[in-house]
Amino acid sequence: MPEQEIIRDTRTVRADRAAIAEGARILAAGGLVAFPTETVYGLGADATNGAAVARLYAAKGRPTFNPLIVHVADRAAAQRLGKFDAAAGALAAALWPGPLTLVLPKTDDCPVAELATAGLDTIAVRMPNHPVARTLIEAAGRPLVAPSANRSGHVSPTIAAHVAADLGGRIDLILDAGPTPVGVESTIVACTSGQPVLLRPGGIARAAIEQILGRPLGEPAPARADAPQAPGMLASHYAPATRLRLDADNVEPHEALLAFGPSVPSRAANAVAVLNLSRAADLVEAAANLFAHLRALDRAGARVIAVMPVPREGLGEAINDRLARAATPRQSNARA
Ligand code: TXA
Ligand code: MG
């Protein structure tokens, strides 16, 4: 699509009742509206409108083989889209609304545009737990696709200004409700084969899911960069432009430091900029700060961002997953 076709006047407005109602009207007319969820800001479009979904892919610059999550306001709407087995039903009952996405077999009369599911016979469904997201979906009266509201390959936005920086001029409206509380994207679990499989660690820790299931989650097949049939598992994602050096216990000259916890790495005085994910070593706080700190350090003019180790328990699994993806050299065509 030629660039001029996606140039728009993008307004950022406080997400009050009137603004949400306007957002719902824009969505119903096939437009693009960014809105807060409890995880990160999403870029919404009418999931049942193929042309709107096509515009959304163009605005993000996203490879169309990477399918989207469909957001709903209630369980009945979810059941019109995907088939719930016992495990999916138990997870939805316990964790919705909340930062959990379920990949389910599509229903036979699923109204979602083929483009949104990239031609797969499965569909990713999520019921967000943010008052603005829920009110917007209800007011729009239809399911909304909502990938993270960033240009493809950038880190996800946790404040409205991140959305404006990435998508200003390409979308219709940004609903601003301040920082998103969780800070990393939803946990994605596939319930398509009897054994639930963790596709993406995220805002709900693995242990919480396994406790509800009463058994361990399965692991997906290993990632292959050239395998669009394994969406969500592409190795390079969420990448800042500056290279990351993980598990750093020192700071080299010209490096910025992404710290975690109260301790100071050796030669910390070298750092051209320092941000701490959580001085108290609180993983929930660290998740909420992760993407904003990566964006800020990316602008610090450092040659490399040195990242201190973050423990892998709880939300630390999702934080380490995003850091590993951000540190993986980019592939030209494989981002979300
Ligand atoms: O927290 C979130 O989930 C945020 C907020 C805005 O809701 N959304 C989000 O969407 O992270 P996105 O598009 O950035 O990531 C969706 C992921 C992709 O990795 C995609 O490949 C995967 O979900 N996905 C979507 N449909 C799938 C399917 N049928 N099977 C496997 N993976 C799927
Ligand atoms: Mg994304």
Side-chain angles (χ1 to χ4, degrees), residues 17 50 57 92 96 113 118 146 165 192 221 287 311 326:
R17 282 255 149 210
Y57 279 117
W96 276 0
T192 51

Side-chain angles (χ1 to χ4, degrees), residues 60 62 147-148 150 156 185 200 238 336:
K60 272 186 67 91
R62 179 180 187 137
S148 48
N150 52 278
S156 293
E185 302 87 344
R200 176 175 78 179
Y238 314 112

Side-chain angles (χ1 to χ4, degrees), residues 307-334:
V307 184
M308 287 173 69
V310 176
R312 285 168 192 280
E313 73 258 16
L315 290 195
E317 185 177 6
I319 294 169
N320 278 287
D321 172 81
R322 301 309 185 272
L323 287 170
R325 290 170 195 271
T328 299
R330 289 159 171 237
Q331 302 126 13
S332 57
N333 209 14

Side-chain angles (χ1 to χ4, degrees), residues 57-84:
Y57 279 117
K60 272 186 67 91
R62 179 180 187 137
T64 46
F65 59 68
N66 202 353
L68 303 170
I69 298 172
V70 183
H71 294 61
V72 296
D74 55 52
R75 180 72 175 269
Q79 274 161 340
R80 284 194 285 277
L81 308 180
K83 297 180 198 162
F84 285 73

Side-chain angles (χ1 to χ4, degrees), residues 17 20-25 27-28 35-36 45 71-78 80 97 126-145 175:
R17 282 255 149 210
I20 294 171
E22 187 195 356
R25 283 194 298 275
L27 289 165
F35 62 94
H71 294 61
V72 296
D74 55 52
R75 180 72 175 269
R80 284 194 285 277
R126 146 161 155 76
M127 190 193 297
N129 183 23
H130 189 293
V132 172
R134 296 174 62 77
T135 309
L136 182 70
I137 298 165
E138 276 165 14
R142 61 199 75 211
L144 301 180
V145 287
L175 295 173

Side-chain angles (χ1 to χ4, degrees), residues 95-108:
L95 298 172
W96 276 0
L100 171 73
T101 294
L102 294 172
V103 172
L104 306 170
K106 250 195 229 179
T107 56
D108 298 330

